[in-house]
Amino acid sequence: MSPNSTTMSVNVTSGRPLFYINGFSNMLYANYYFIFLSVVYVLTILANAFLMLIICVEQSLHNPKYVAVFHLAVVDTCCSTVVIPNLIQTFIFNSQFIVFEACLANMFFVHFFNGLQSLSLVLLAYDRFIAICFPLHYHTISTNTRMTVIIVAIWLIFSVLLLVLVLLVSRLSFCKSTVIDSYFCDHGPVYKLACNDTSANYIFSVVLIALFLILPVVLIILSYACILFELYKMTSREGKRKALKTCTSHLILVAILFIPILVTYTTAMVSGIHPNARILNNSLSATIPPLLNPIIYTLKTEEIMESIKKLFKRNKIVQVKS
């Protein structure tokens, strides 16, 4: 069965459209890209699992900062899992047709975990802001319980908002093309295919982009502006260096996640972007940060490196005794 460029078949029994995900169909050497993503996925799972294991095992890492880091590792694992296996199954095994309900579920989970990535980085910025600007009150303001409550609240609020986004799509009618120009059931390409009024979908999507892409960037910038102001007041160079060192890994993660997304959005708005370039950039933005985040946090964070050394020393002692 092959897709028609203008109109797709409709599921007669349910009256629901049968979507066709067109993402990588016209892209040269796409199979090599899928092999690359398969390797990325395996490495992502291993790297994040290792980071989560270190945090669980090492008692010294049981603090609010590493509750947030652990949460980021969970989100990265989930984000990679909802994107890569599904993408490979869709395009390598020619499963590009997707029923309406499955499309909505795919839309929810991909956007949910992608959005949680940016919110996780805001949590880490909040932790650094409290630690550097209010060092004497850090342990009373930021606790494991409070960090956990914030994380649970974020999951609940964000899931409700995304559920509304998906429900707004479910009310649409699709009487023309149902070919989705993306690598998954992307909200924008899907709702633009509808025949009836999509103004509510557009407005709500803009609100969500403002809340979960633009606002996180603004909050992170403001937190680091306060941190830099606090560092400027410090007289000790060593104190400044140590404080900045604790922020390095987080700033790298922020750059890796937000710069490609903002460049893609800006280019699309200002001069337009080729669909293949947009799809490639978006898929890389969803799959590369989850791989790099645990690696950067492991290599650039002194506490984690020390914990790894302790773990290996314990294993050596156990092996010697046995």
Side-chain angles (χ1 to χ4, degrees), residues 37-46 48 72-88 109-110 113-114 117 183 283 285-291:
L37 287 183
S38 301
V39 174
V40 166
Y41 180 63
V42 172
L43 293 176
T44 300
I45 298 300
L46 291 174
N48 281 290
L72 178 62
V74 171
V75 170
D76 285 340
T77 302
C78 294
C79 184
S80 200
T81 299
V82 298
V83 171
I84 297 178
N86 195 53
L87 188 152
I88 290 167
F109 285 110
V110 174
F113 288 111
N114 277 336
Q117 274 195 311
Y183 63 95
S283 62
S285 298
T287 54
I288 298 301
L291 168 63

Side-chain angles (χ1 to χ4, degrees), residues 161 200-215:
L161 289 172
N201 301 78
Y202 172 75
I203 292 166
F204 201 71
S205 66
V206 169
V207 169
L208 287 187
I209 289 169
L211 284 176
F212 301 107
L213 179 61
I214 307 302
L215 185 61

Side-chain angles (χ1 to χ4, degrees), residues 41-65:
Y41 180 63
V42 172
L43 293 176
T44 300
I45 298 300
L46 291 174
N48 281 290
F50 179 72
L51 180 58
M52 286 188 278
L53 177 68
I54 293 296
I55 294 170
C56 286
V57 169
E58 186 53 50
Q59 195 68 31
S60 63
L61 300 179
H62 293 181
N63 57 53
K65 177 184 175 181

Side-chain angles (χ1 to χ4, degrees), residues 248-260:
T248 307
S249 52
H250 178 251
L251 285 170
I252 295 170
L253 303 192
V254 169
I256 289 169
L257 179 66
F258 287 113
I259 289 174

